[in-house]
Amino acid sequence: MVQHSRPSPQSSGPAGGISGKGVRSGQGNGSKAAALTLPHPLRGRRSYAAIDLGTNNCRLLIAKPSADGFVVIDAFSRIVRLGEGLAASGRISDAAIERAISALSVCADKLRRRHVTLARSVATEACRRASNGAEFIQRVYRETGIALDIISAQEEARLAVLGCHALLEPGDGPALIFDIGGGSTELVLVNANSAGAPHIVDWVSAPWGVVSLTESEPFDHADPLDRLAAYARMRARVADAFAPLARRLPSPQADIRLLGTSGTVTTLASLHLDLPRYDRQAIDGLIVPSTSMRAISARLSSMPLAERQKLPCIGTERADLVVAGCAILESILDIWPAQRLGVADRGIREGALLQKS
């Protein structure tokens, strides 16, 4: 079932509410975006943290305020596949729980060592869907001390926009920001003509992410015809889920803008640059021609699994999921045919960090 709303999610969220342009990264984790401007005097040297437990990944960000923004002092990311098998069973599996708790234990250790003052930890689609989601959250707290908040799709969309909107290309035309997750994809239409956070005009949350869509369309990876047929079915599923928003979108204009945050877009951007290994500094804020992203998607969708596994920046962990990501991305380009795609290696964590501080 597609979750959507109009007008947009404009809730103030948790107390905190710093507004600004972005989060500046520290040494070795640089970003081309502007630093966050703090609207109040620095509150000492507190450390703030945000954890995003998604359907596929567990991510942590720890930062301290500086004179001109936040400086990232530690980060962590691990693929945990929390939603693996969820579509069939309706539950988070025991193996997925163990993987997630292992990753969150690493996060908890980092929070202690960095003397974090304030943290916001959120869980998304897998925990929203799972019949044992609340039970899992309680176990996480018992074993790691991390209190996860299962946020709504609306809050997920809002945090993603807050975390990455600084990377939107300058312009006066309408903009679409999207987040391809493991269990869902959020599309957010924004009006970003002025300083500060953009005004959210409309949005949709579709129940298809790289994990849920992959599991919905099993196919023989060794059979080229079966691969292409499954890809077409994936495209159809996603198009149907996006249809309510697509009917409400304004007519395409020459200056429409598009910004994506997800492992899918950062991975495809790495292939566009032909990087030997992932480099956040090269990717975060990159603008890629949409034609290139479509060409890469077409190539990956027709490629055997073993060949995808050999590609730099994909490897064995992402090789089986990237095809679903390509199907979602192409479906987005179908309804919002921007000439260029902005790429963000930031999103929910950064949005939560801005809210928490």
Side-chain angles (χ1 to χ4, degrees):
M1 180 177 179
V2 178
Q3 302 176 58
H4 60 278
S5 173
R6 189 177 187 180
S8 60
Q10 294 291 339
S11 61
S12 60
I18 284 183
S19 62
K21 291 187 176 181
V23 177
R24 181 165 59 86
S25 298
Q27 183 178 2
N29 199 19
S31 167
K32 291 175 279 188
L36 172 70
T37 301
L38 297 172
H40 54 69
L42 290 177
R43 299 168 179 166
R45 293 292 293 169
R46 290 181 176 178
S47 295
Y48 302 100
I51 295 173
D52 170 21
L53 180 64
T55 303
N56 196 44
N57 288 79
C58 175
R59 300 182 177 94
L60 164 73
L61 196 67
I62 303 176
K64 284 188 175 182
S66 67
D68 61 348
F70 274 104
V71 177
V72 175
I73 60 172
D74 208 345
F76 172 77
S77 179
R78 180 183 293 177
I79 293 177
V80 295
R81 300 205 178 200
L82 186 66
E84 187 175 61
L86 176 61
S89 68
R91 295 176 55 83
I92 302 171
S93 71
D94 291 342
I97 288 173
E98 295 301 328
R99 290 193 297 266
I101 288 179
S102 175
L104 289 166
S105 296
V106 175
C107 295
D109 182 60
K110 287 180 177 289
L111 295 178
R112 286 189 293 269
R113 288 191 290 108
R114 295 292 186 177
H115 306 290
V116 170
T117 304
L118 292 171
R120 187 178 186 197
S121 305
V122 301
T124 56
E125 184 70 4
C127 290
R128 288 196 294 263
R129 287 191 192 182
S131 61
N132 60 339
E135 177 186 331
F136 164 70
I137 296 296
Q138 292 170 0
R139 179 174 169 186
V140 167
Y141 183 71
R142 288 197 307 270
E143 297 190 19
T144 70
I146 293 173
L148 288 167
D149 176 22
I150 303 177
I151 60 174
S152 66
Q154 175 178 349
E155 176 71 353
E156 184 177 356
R158 192 182 66 84
L159 289 177
V161 169
L162 182 61
C164 74
H165 73 84
L167 297 183
L168 268 173
E169 285 190 273
D172 295 324
L176 192 70
I177 298 176
F178 66 89
D179 181 5
I180 302 173
S184 66
T185 294
E186 282 66 49
L187 304 182
V188 187
L189 181 69
V190 300
N191 180 351
N193 300 333
S194 58
H199 172 69
I200 299 175
V201 178
D202 202 348
W203 71 289
V204 67
S205 179
W208 300 118
V210 296
V211 175
S212 56
L213 189 58
T214 298
E215 293 187 351
S216 76
E217 293 294 346
F219 61 92
D220 182 356
H221 287 269
D223 184 337
L225 293 179
D226 200 22
R227 287 198 304 270
L228 293 176
Y231 189 70
R233 292 193 301 271
M234 289 181 186
R235 292 281 307 275
R237 281 181 183 267
V238 177
D240 183 63
F242 289 166
L245 179 66
R247 288 191 290 267
R248 301 194 299 263
L249 289 175
S251 300
Q253 304 169 24
D255 58 348
I256 61 173
R257 293 168 289 164
L258 183 64
L259 175 65
T261 169
S262 71
T264 294
V265 294
T266 57
T267 296
L268 268 61
S270 299
L271 294 175
H272 169 75
L273 294 180
D274 198 23
L275 296 179
R277 64 187 63 83
Y278 186 72
D279 180 356
R280 183 183 187 273
Q281 189 168 356
I283 295 300
D284 190 46
L286 183 70
I287 306 296
V288 182
S290 296
T291 53
S292 177
M293 298 298 259
R294 279 196 184 273
I296 294 168
S297 296
R299 178 162 63 95
L300 292 176
S301 65
S302 63
M303 189 179 291
L305 177 63
E307 290 186 22
R308 293 197 300 273
Q309 290 173 334
K310 295 175 183 177
L311 292 174
C313 305
I314 293 183
T316 56
E317 285 192 319
R318 294 185 181 275
D320 61 332
L321 303 178
V322 70
V323 171
C326 291
I328 297 169
L329 177 59
E330 286 212 81
S331 297
I332 293 170
L333 291 170
D334 287 344
I335 65 171
W336 196 251
Q339 295 183 2
R340 297 173 302 279
L341 169 63
V343 180
D345 186 354
R346 59 179 75 182
I348 292 174
R349 288 180 306 172
E350 287 77 7
L353 184 67
L354 292 169
Q355 282 292 302
K356 195 64 185 177
S357 54

